[in-house]
Amino acid sequence: MTRPFSRGNGGRSALLALFIALAAVLFGSAPVPAAATGGAWWEPASRPAPDSQINVTGEPFKGTDAQGKVRGFVDAHNHLMSNEGFGGRMICGATFSQAGVADALKDCPEHYPDGSGALFEHLTGGDNGKHDPVGWPTFKDWPAPDSMSHQQNYYAWVERAWRGGQRVLVNDLVTNGLICSLLPRDRGCDEMDALRLEARKSYELQDYIDQMYGGPGKGWFRIVTDSAQARSVIQQGKLAVVLGVETSEPFGCKQILDIAQCSQADIDKGLDELYALGVRSMFLCHKFDNALCGVRFDSGTTGVAVNIGQFLSTGTFWATEKCAGPQHDNPIGLAAAPPAMAEKLPAGVSVPSYDSDAKCNTRGLTRLGEYALKGMIQRGMMLELDHMSVKAAGRALDILEAEEYPGVISSHSWMDMDWTDRVYRLGGFVAQYMGSAQGFVGEAGQKAELRKKYGVGLGYGTDMNGVGAHPGPVGADAPNAVKYPFRSFDGGSVLDRQVTGERTWDLNTDGAAHNGLVPDWVEQIRLSPGGQSVVDDLSRGAESYLTTWKKTEDHEPGVNLAAGHPVSASTTEWWNPFVDFSPGLTVDGNTGTRWASEWSDDQWLKVDLGSVRRVGRVTLDWERAYARAYKIELSEDGTTWRDVWSTDAGDGGIDTAEFDSQSARYVRVHGVKRATDWGYSLYEVAVNRS
């Protein structure tokens, strides 16, 4: 094999070209010679030939604006390396190959000769039972907006997205062990093994691009591990790439018949390993309920298929209940089960039916999930809220608010939009799924006033290679049809139709088939009614994302003034000499221990801070026996009490009572009315200055 990159010149270049031509004739192979280009900093010193074109001219913007802020778009949810997950044969084709574009952009073996063996493509509706498997150079049937099993992130297409104005890309390492076990595969199905491989391939892609630009650190694709690195990369006009994780059973934390298959030690080990790999954001659950949290359901036929997958993986189907608040999970799919999935169920087992008024997953954030979230906080990692059930997301937000922790992200429209204010109030970041241009504008408009209130930008989540459909063609005559060539949002670059091999892509007639058409889609947003203001918000996305990340890194845990101090209570439940429910367990830092009162309404728990301190916030972690009505009382002497906060609508979980900071030595939680037939029970009590 010849080297894919060479700087050769003069006679040596001609000799090399002759050698390559002879090799192709004699051996019938297609080596990948290098094509020298450019000279400008944004053009590689050499590029593989043949290869995809970029079809962008002009220098990418650098630096900051007049206020010292960076500019640029954020793709907050992409899967550059998902072809390496799921056993290696669910997403066909690769993001790059040292052997060149023809090797990278080829179909899976079982898709030949006519696509009839493409099980996953058929299951997800990307073809009608057959497709042309040939990729390079013809691309007759793929990539396409509705094709779920073909590569959409070839490196040159990612390059075009960068040249078109994108400055942050979150590369979510992704896999699913159950799906892997059902498909043809080249490797094992351990999810952590897949994440390790995808991380390694991401760094190899960085090296591959650096090779074109003359050596380490010189390429436009830069994997970053802190916000300062990211800001520096963007100021240089390059693409800051953040590693994230989106997998169904991280750290082996699946649950089988409601029994967790992982421990706190597994979580600590897993978080440490992911952090060392460079991962800075992650989902705690995805698609299947696991030992950490319940998921937000999928709908329609996909929902039925995922629910069957959940049963095969965990032994349980989704379970629903009436929602406690206005937020709700996605409607569960009630369509007929896809035959390819239904036949996997044991004899006599079928997908259950669900009450139409029970729209929420019964599963929330488990105690192990809380431990994992607190572990992420300790490591300065950002939580991806999407895919969590409403019950889990609400609990996670309670914990984040109690910690005043800003590291929370919704990256592709998979949380209930009613959570948006809470996310922004914490300092988090929100991105919308890459839907149709006009639909994206409409969704953005619903939260425009909130973005203005909090002074934040907006992101998009393309979910490329993530088994999600993308915007289809609107037609050449549509009111918001893109007129080629067009200029990037900053006016500094000109983009024409993108060409790969023999195929010329036009967003109007081809839809958003691959990542290289993201700039065209942004232009279509701009041309849609109300779209210019949305593009303006998108251009502020990079600064907002970095602001969230920096605040996350700068977070300092509040000092719990109650930790280790004396605690007393009106009563303590006693029914077994081997079970301890004493009040001091609420300040021991262990969420597995708790205080429990006797079974009557008027009960209290008192903390002695040891001396008079300033107090402005009390956080309570309730067990299932919680207070419907209670109040927070303060005292300097333990005798004279004053009310500083109260509620008659307690809902359990984590409550944070905030009030004007004032002096006190004693803090009392006074239960007025129980929410259950049991007494009052608290895992932990935290007292903070503010």
Side-chain angles (χ1 to χ4, degrees):
M1 182 188 301
T2 59
R3 295 186 340 183
F5 305 107
S6 172
R7 291 180 177 274
N9 54 61
R12 286 189 298 169
S13 179
L15 185 60
L16 178 61
L18 177 61
F19 173 78
I20 289 167
L22 284 172
V25 171
L26 292 173
F27 302 108
S29 61
V32 189
T37 61
W41 69 267
W42 60 91
E43 293 286 358
S46 60
R47 187 188 295 278
D51 203 0
S52 173
Q53 298 180 37
I54 309 302
N55 307 104
V56 183
T57 58
E59 181 177 2
F61 59 87
K62 306 192 285 187
T64 60
D65 63 15
Q67 288 76 45
K69 297 179 179 180
V70 297
R71 298 172 294 163
F73 306 140
V74 176
D75 184 351
H77 194 103
N78 198 319
H79 302 289
L80 294 182
M81 296 299 166
S82 60
N83 57 289
E84 304 291 351
F86 307 96
R89 297 264 281 276
M90 188 179 87
I91 305 295
C92 306
T95 308
F96 74 104
S97 170
Q98 291 285 353
V101 64
D103 184 64
L105 296 180
K106 63 183 180 183
D107 217 335
C108 292
E110 58 275 8
H111 290 205
Y112 290 89
D114 60 1
S116 57
L119 170 64
F120 188 72
E121 186 79 352
H122 308 334
L123 182 65
T124 55
D127 61 10
N128 294 315
K130 291 185 177 182
H131 68 265
D132 181 358
V134 177
W136 175 271
T138 54
F139 301 104
K140 180 177 181 293
D141 287 340
W142 65 268
D146 58 351
S147 176
M148 309 298 181
S149 69
H150 294 102
Q151 182 60 242
Q152 298 175 300
N153 276 322
Y154 184 60
Y155 91 92
W157 299 338
V158 179
E159 182 176 349
R160 189 171 192 271
W162 159 63
R163 291 284 299 274
Q166 188 169 293
R167 291 296 179 268
V168 177
L169 184 151
V170 180
N171 174 24
D172 284 318
L173 315 177
V174 63
T175 192
N176 181 289
L178 188 279
I179 292 176
C180 170
S181 71
L182 299 177
L183 295 174
R185 56 187 180 274
D186 296 328
R187 61 202 64 149
C189 295
D190 182 273
E191 294 194 359
M192 290 299 289
D193 283 346
L195 301 183
R196 295 180 188 108
L197 174 60
E198 291 181 43
R200 177 168 62 81
K201 296 298 289 187
S202 298
Y203 286 101
E204 288 179 8
L205 173 59
Q206 179 174 261
D207 294 342
Y208 179 81
I209 294 171
D210 278 353
Q211 191 177 354
M212 295 184 202
Y213 284 79
K218 295 187 176 181
W220 52 268
F221 183 97
R222 313 305 322 151
I223 298 174
V224 295
T225 56
D226 61 53
S227 64
Q229 287 180 354
R231 186 171 294 277
S232 176
V233 165
I234 296 170
Q235 287 175 344
Q236 295 171 49
K238 299 181 179 183
L239 180 68
V241 179
V242 185
L243 297 186
V245 162
E246 181 186 43
T247 196
S248 294
E249 294 158 355
F251 330 127
C253 281
K254 68 184 301 176
Q255 56 93 10
I256 299 177
L257 297 176
D258 298 324
I259 299 174
Q261 305 298 299
C262 68
S263 65
Q264 291 183 353
D266 295 324
I267 292 169
D268 285 331
K269 180 181 177 182
L271 285 174
D272 285 343
E273 181 180 6
L274 291 179
Y275 192 89
L277 289 173
V279 172
R280 293 297 181 267
S281 69
M282 71 174 294
F283 296 77
L284 289 180
C285 50
H286 176 238
K287 298 303 180 184
F288 302 159
D289 297 335
N290 62 24
L292 306 178
C293 52
V295 295
R296 197 162 193 234
F297 310 129
D298 282 85
S299 299
T301 302
T302 300
V304 178
V306 174
N307 201 6
I308 292 173
Q310 150 123 352
F311 177 84
L312 296 175
S313 179
T314 70
T316 60
F317 289 105
W318 289 327
T320 63
E321 64 186 7
K322 290 184 178 180
C323 302
Q327 296 84 11
H328 59 81
D329 292 320
N330 292 323
I332 285 186
L334 299 176
M341 289 298 293
E343 67 184 21
K344 304 290 184 182
L345 289 171
V349 176
S350 60
V351 180
S353 59
Y354 296 93
D355 294 336
S356 60
D357 62 345
K359 298 180 179 180
C360 282
N361 194 337
T362 60
R363 299 178 190 272
L365 192 65
T366 68
R367 283 286 155 181
L368 279 175
E370 292 177 14
Y371 185 84
L373 175 53
K374 291 176 181 177
M376 291 178 65
I377 292 171
Q378 292 166 5
R379 292 164 178 81
M381 299 171 73
M382 293 178 282
L383 172 71
E384 293 270 8
L385 203 64
D386 290 4
H387 289 298
M388 276 186 168
S389 68
V390 161
K391 199 170 185 177
R395 177 76 168 178
L397 287 168
D398 287 344
I399 292 172
L400 295 171
E401 288 165 347
E403 296 280 350
E404 296 183 304
Y405 190 75
V408 59
I409 294 171
S410 172
S411 61
H412 63 331
S413 298
W414 261 84
M415 74 166 186
D416 190 297
M417 289 184 70
D418 281 349
W419 296 129
T420 306
D421 195 311
R422 291 181 74 180
V423 171
Y424 283 151
R425 198 182 321 133
L426 278 164
F429 181 79
V430 173
Q432 296 175 194
Y433 187 78
M434 184 188 180
S436 70
Q438 192 58 64
F440 191 94
V441 172
E443 183 177 336
Q446 296 178 45
K447 301 301 178 184
E449 288 303 313
L450 275 181
R451 291 195 298 278
K452 182 178 179 180
K453 172 183 176 181
Y454 290 99
V456 296
L458 180 65
Y460 51 75
T462 63
D463 203 16
M464 291 287 175
N465 285 1
V467 196
H470 293 92
V474 298
D477 297 326
N480 61 353
V482 175
K483 298 174 179 58
Y484 293 94
F486 64 92
R487 286 195 173 273
S488 57
F489 83 93
D490 64 301
S493 298
V494 176
L495 296 89
D496 208 341
R497 291 174 177 84
Q498 199 278 316
V499 179
T500 303
E502 299 171 11
R503 181 75 184 268
T504 299
W505 304 90
D506 183 322
L507 183 76
N508 303 314
T509 54
D510 297 315
H514 62 68
N515 205 343
L517 297 173
V518 169
D520 311 51
W521 171 75
V522 172
E523 172 68 1
Q524 192 170 86
I525 288 175
R526 187 186 70 81
L527 295 171
S528 302
Q532 181 60 62
S533 63
V534 175
V535 173
D536 291 343
D537 280 355
L538 289 173
S539 73
R540 291 189 284 270
E543 180 64 37
S544 283
Y545 185 90
L546 295 190
T547 298
T548 292
W549 196 358
K550 182 67 164 63
K551 288 180 178 178
T552 300
E553 293 168 335
D554 291 345
H555 174 261
E556 294 183 1
V559 176
N560 181 6
L561 303 176
H565 283 281
V567 184
S568 57
S570 54
T571 63
T572 297
E573 181 183 352
W574 189 94
W575 56 272
N576 185 323
F578 301 105
V579 180
D580 184 6
F581 293 124
S582 59
L585 297 174
T586 60
V587 295
D588 65 353
N590 182 355
T591 57
T593 61
R594 63 188 176 94
W595 163 71
S597 76
E598 293 181 350
W599 295 11
S600 59
D601 280 333
D602 188 19
Q603 304 285 347
W604 52 261
L605 179 136
K606 179 179 68 176
V607 181
D608 179 357
L609 302 179
S611 61
V612 175
R613 312 292 296 270
R614 298 291 296 181
V615 175
R617 180 158 56 97
V618 176
T619 302
L620 306 175
D621 186 354
W622 293 100
E623 196 251 354
R624 287 178 298 172
Y626 64 94
R628 178 71 67 204
Y630 68 97
K631 54 188 176 179
I632 305 296
E633 302 167 325
L634 302 182
S635 174
E636 274 80 24
D637 58 10
T639 301
T640 304
W641 296 92
R642 61 188 183 277
D643 297 349
V644 294
W645 187 93
S646 65
T647 182
D648 58 4
D651 58 358
I654 291 181
D655 285 347
T656 300
E658 295 189 79
F659 42 87
D660 291 338
S661 179
Q662 49 197 282
S663 298
R665 173 173 174 169
Y666 300 93
V667 179
R668 189 161 72 178
V669 181
H670 197 148
V672 177
K673 184 176 179 59
R674 292 167 295 156
T676 70
D677 291 335
W678 303 308
Y680 301 99
S681 184
L682 284 163
Y683 288 112
E684 286 290 304
V685 174
V687 178
N688 302 97
R689 291 184 177 87
S690 62

